[in-house]
């Protein structure tokens, strides 16, 4: 009897081993099937923050990007106001070259006309009254009347002096006999000596003082050159000269 149960137990073990070898354990509900149906954690996908969130295995596989690659280059918010508030310096401009031109011997009307044109061009005009001797007059003193002047003129012709005229204009010199007007005192003295050699004893020299206007105009050199030429063509009798700046 014991021998029978021993052979029965051995046969059962052999049958169980045979069943394992032939795939009996793959039947539904078996241990292998339960293991194969379990979820794999490494294949789970987290969708809590949107569909584009990387899977855990992808996040583990990809190394963290470097700071220079992951963060876009953005200008500092603190530096921007400083750049905006910094004053913008205008490019340095080269100062204009100035020049000064003067005209002398002007009448008041001439000086005013030139100064008005100069100020219209933003030039600086400076006016100055000049007193001085303009000429030296060689003459015979005024006679008491026209008849006395005619008599003296006849005496001059007798002595060989023909370059003269009788002053007719009313005033202190009416009926004087003019013998010449000279630009320098030296020239006047030579003329007087020549008259004396001819026998004219009453001739004399008188300095003629006049006042005139001197006008100085200062402005940019390139513009002033054109203005100066135009002004001299309008007043040809007024001598033109360069004048120092800053006076």
């Amino acid at each position: 009897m014991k021998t029978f149960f021993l052979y029965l137990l051995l046969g059962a073990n052999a049958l169980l081993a045979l069943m394992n070898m032939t795939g009996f354990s793959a039947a539904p509900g078996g241990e292998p099937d339960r293991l194969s149906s379990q979820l794999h954690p490494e294949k789970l996908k987290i969708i809590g923050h949107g569909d584009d969130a990387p899977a855990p295995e992808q996040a583990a596989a990809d190394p963290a990007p470097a700071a220079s690659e992951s963060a876009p280059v953005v200008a500092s918010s603190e530096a921007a106001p400083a750049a905006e508030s910094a004053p913008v310096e205008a490019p340095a401009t080269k100062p204009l070259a100035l020049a000064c031109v003067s005209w002398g011997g002007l009448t008041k009307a001439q000086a005013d006309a030139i100064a008005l044109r100069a100020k219209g061009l933003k030039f600086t005009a400076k006016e100055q009254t000049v007193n001085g001797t303009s000429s030296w007059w060689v003459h015979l003193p005024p006679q008491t009347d026209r008849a006395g002047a005619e008599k003296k003129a006849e005496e001059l012709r007798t002595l060989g002096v023909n370059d003269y005229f009788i002053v007719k204009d009313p005033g202190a010199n009416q009926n004087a006999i003019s013998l010449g007007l000279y630009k320098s005192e030296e020239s006047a003295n030579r003329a007087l000596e020549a008259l004396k050699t001819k026998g004219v004893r009453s001739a004399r020299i008188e300095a003629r003082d006049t006042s005139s206007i001197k006008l100085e105009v200062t402005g940019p050199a390139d513009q002033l050159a054109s203005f100066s030429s135009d002004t001299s063509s309008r007043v040809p009798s007024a001598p033109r000269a360069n004048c120092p700046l800053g006076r």
Side-chain angles (χ1 to χ4, degrees), residues 131-212:
N131 295 315
T133 301
S134 60
S135 59
W136 283 258
W137 184 33
V138 179
H139 65 288
L140 296 179
Q143 305 301 307
T144 55
D145 53 23
R146 177 71 179 182
E150 292 287 353
K151 183 177 179 181
K152 282 291 182 183
E154 183 63 29
E155 293 177 1
L156 290 173
R157 287 193 295 271
T158 302
L159 296 173
V161 178
N162 297 309
D163 190 9
Y164 66 88
F165 72 90
I166 300 173
V167 178
K168 299 178 181 180
D169 297 334
N173 291 318
Q174 188 176 20
N175 295 322
I177 300 176
S178 177
L179 297 171
L181 196 63
Y182 298 89
K183 289 291 184 180
S184 67
E185 186 176 10
E186 182 181 1
S187 298
N189 283 324
R190 285 199 300 266
L192 183 61
E193 292 298 323
L195 289 169
K196 287 180 178 180
T197 59
K198 292 181 178 182
V200 180
R201 304 300 180 192
S202 58
R204 65 182 63 178
I205 296 175
E206 181 180 328
R208 308 194 76 172
D209 296 334
T210 59
S211 63
S212 62

Side-chain angles (χ1 to χ4, degrees), residues 70-87:
S70 62
V73 178
V74 180
S76 172
S77 60
E78 296 181 359
E84 294 176 358
S85 61

Side-chain angles (χ1 to χ4, degrees), residues 13 39 42 51 55 59 61 74 93 97 101 162 184 189 204 239:
N13 288 333
L39 295 175
E42 67 278 6
D51 295 340
V74 180
T93 57
V101 178
N162 297 309
S184 67
N189 283 324
R204 65 182 63 178

Side-chain angles (χ1 to χ4, degrees), residues 121-138:
L121 295 172
K122 308 300 182 183
F123 297 163
T124 301
K126 180 182 178 182
E127 183 179 302
Q128 179 182 1
T129 301
V130 178
N131 295 315
T133 301
S134 60
S135 59
W136 283 258
W137 184 33
V138 179

Side-chain angles (χ1 to χ4, degrees), residues 90-110:
T93 57
K94 185 178 180 180
L96 293 175
L98 298 179
C100 178
V101 178
S102 68
W103 288 268
L106 298 172
T107 64
K108 180 62 177 175
Q110 290 173 332

Side-chain angles (χ1 to χ4, degrees), residues 28-46:
E31 186 65 20
D33 182 61
R34 289 188 296 106
L35 293 175
S36 63
S37 64
Q38 291 180 356
L39 295 175
H40 294 274
E42 67 278 6
K43 296 182 179 181
L44 292 178
K45 181 178 181 182
I46 301 173

